[in-house]
Amino acid sequence: MLTCRIHAKDDLRIETDSEPAVAPGQVLIRLGAGGICGSDLHYYYEGRNGSFVIREPLVPGHEASGVVAKVGAGVTRVKPGDKIAVSPSQACGRCDYCREGREHLCRNMRFLGSASVYPHVQGMFAEYFVLGECQCYPVSGDVTLGELAFAEPLAVGLHAVNRAGDLMGKHVLVTGAGTIGCLTMMAARLKGASAVTASDVLDRPLETARAVGAARTVRGDRERGALASPQFDVAFEASGSLPALNACIAAVKRGGTIVQVGTLPHEPLPFVVNEIMAKELDFKGAFRWGIEFDWAVEYIASRRVDVGPLLSRQFPLERAVEAFALARDKTRSTKVQLVAA
Ligand SMILES: [Zn+2]
Ligand SMILES: [Zn+2]
């Protein structure tokens, strides 16, 4: 079977591995579709994702769907042939954070396709992989494996809007109109936002934002004045850029909320804390998701949320290098997925 592995910065290889064995309670999954995410791009092109540095070969990929190939003894949640969304989250279930229902903050988190711990937790850009049955979410109906692979990023968007609190009737700004930004816009509309404005520094993402319901779009780099005055109740910073964060701070009204969803560069950043103080802003982080993954699977399976406009193209695993290059080019793509040949 084929496995896509990042050995170091700019060194991604397609390797041949033997099929993994299935222990009791485990499920062998054949990859359906795996979305290439910003963190996968960081690992490939920079050798690190924020403070997580690649120290051994890493199989990337944490946004996946698949088909159950084989089940180990005692597995009851799925059976061979089931179409599933796959949760990349392996929380310990025992620490204080897990026990208070914030398992995404788990002290012993093992998140697939991540170098946050060493040895790294290997991801899902492989023809076959093995996971515990609780990470498998069987789905029926005609939803495609490509759509189902959006469960993880949609969960990120749903979690971000949950962090923001009440959105009913609120005016919302989302900076960064990539996959996470667009899914955050869709989640904000689900939660009652009266109008969503999207900003980006490229035209293509803004077209996508309009396709998923943004009422107004702003070229953050050209239309400087557009976001200079306070006009939004809530802003979501989904681009991971400091100018965008500063735009959020300027554009949110006194007493408003900013949720940081994107990962900013690793270097120390000059940061305007006084405006947060004087405008009495709530500045919050949103990291991964908890129960929102379950909701995301339901929303996608029922097509309550249509992720169709976000899927740009699929490539077979063996063309991963080409797929990563397209995924990196935001003038040509939103979400690019890898599929088993
Ligand atoms: Zn992701
Ligand atoms: Zn835990």
Side-chain angles (χ1 to χ4, degrees):
M1 60 163 234
L2 297 177
T3 302
C4 162
R5 220 175 248 115
I6 299 172
H7 286 251
K9 178 180 181 308
D10 294 322
D11 182 3
L12 183 155
R13 304 179 202 170
I14 305 300
E15 297 173 327
T16 309
D17 292 354
S18 52
E19 209 174 275
V22 189
Q26 290 187 331
V27 179
L28 178 71
I29 299 157
R30 180 176 163 80
L31 177 69
I36 299 173
C37 169
S39 58
D40 302 316
L41 294 170
H42 286 301
Y43 284 128
Y44 178 27
Y45 293 110
E46 294 159 37
R48 67 187 301 155
N49 176 35
S51 52
F52 307 155
V53 181
I54 290 193
R55 290 193 280 159
E56 62 171 344
L58 175 73
V59 178
H62 59 267
E63 305 177 359
S65 63
V67 176
V68 174
K70 208 184 281 181
V71 297
V75 169
T76 56
R77 194 170 150 100
V78 292
K79 57 183 189 312
D82 280 356
K83 182 165 60 178
I84 57 172
V86 185
S87 163
S89 180
Q90 301 174 337
C92 78
R94 295 184 298 274
C95 73
D96 46 351
Y97 294 114
C98 282
R99 288 168 55 75
E100 68 185 26
R102 301 180 85 181
E103 59 278 359
H104 54 294
L105 303 181
C106 174
R107 290 179 189 275
N108 313 302
M109 172 60 82
R110 293 174 56 76
F111 196 86
L112 297 190
S114 169
S116 64
V117 293
Y118 182 83
H120 303 335
V121 185
Q122 303 300 328
M124 299 184 278
F125 288 169
E127 251 180 305
Y128 290 92
F129 47 90
V130 163
L131 290 173
E133 66 172 323
C134 60
Q135 287 172 263
C136 302
Y137 288 68
V139 169
S140 55
D142 65 348
V143 65
T144 64
L145 290 163
E147 289 173 287
L148 265 188
F150 279 87
E152 198 277 339
L154 176 57
V156 171
L158 294 170
H159 183 65
V161 302
N162 276 343
R163 291 285 291 150
D166 183 26
L167 289 185
M168 188 65 72
K170 300 282 171 73
H171 285 235
V172 167
L173 169 66
V174 179
T175 54
T179 302
I180 294 294
C182 286
L183 289 167
T184 301
M185 293 170 209
M186 292 154 98
R189 296 182 76 229
L190 273 177
K191 212 174 174 213
S194 65
V196 173
T197 296
S199 84
D200 203 288
V201 295
L202 295 170
D203 288 332
R204 190 185 182 285
L206 293 177
E207 280 165 30
T208 311
R210 282 191 289 274
V212 301
R216 178 184 158 212
T217 56
V218 173
R219 269 287 296 242
D221 51 341
R222 290 193 199 137
E223 303 168 66
R224 291 260 164 98
L227 301 178
S229 62
Q231 56 200 283
F232 300 99
D233 304 292
V234 179
F236 297 92
E237 204 304 284
S239 72
S241 90
L242 185 63
L245 174 56
N246 284 329
C248 290
I249 293 170
V252 166
K253 295 197 271 189
R254 292 177 194 165
T257 299
I258 298 170
V259 180
Q260 183 67 44
V261 194
T263 306
L264 282 132
H266 187 61
E267 308 82 65
L269 301 165
F271 186 50
V272 198
V273 176
N274 281 347
E275 279 202 68
I276 293 178
M277 177 271 290
K279 287 171 78 175
E280 203 162 278
L281 303 179
D282 288 334
F283 182 54
K284 299 181 173 186
F287 186 58
R288 297 176 180 161
W289 34 264
I291 187 69
E292 292 92 347
F293 189 89
D294 301 47
W295 304 346
V297 174
E298 280 184 37
Y299 285 140
I300 290 171
S302 65
R303 295 221 171 83
R304 177 87 169 80
V305 168
D306 176 15
V307 296
L310 304 179
L311 178 55
S312 304
R313 196 169 160 191
Q314 294 181 325
F315 287 86
L317 263 180
E318 53 266 44
R319 288 170 67 192
V321 168
E322 208 181 323
F324 270 68
L326 179 62
R328 184 192 206 183
D329 184 352
K330 300 305 176 197
T331 65
R332 294 193 297 138
S333 74
T334 306
K335 179 59 71 184
V336 177
Q337 294 178 339
L338 294 172
V339 297

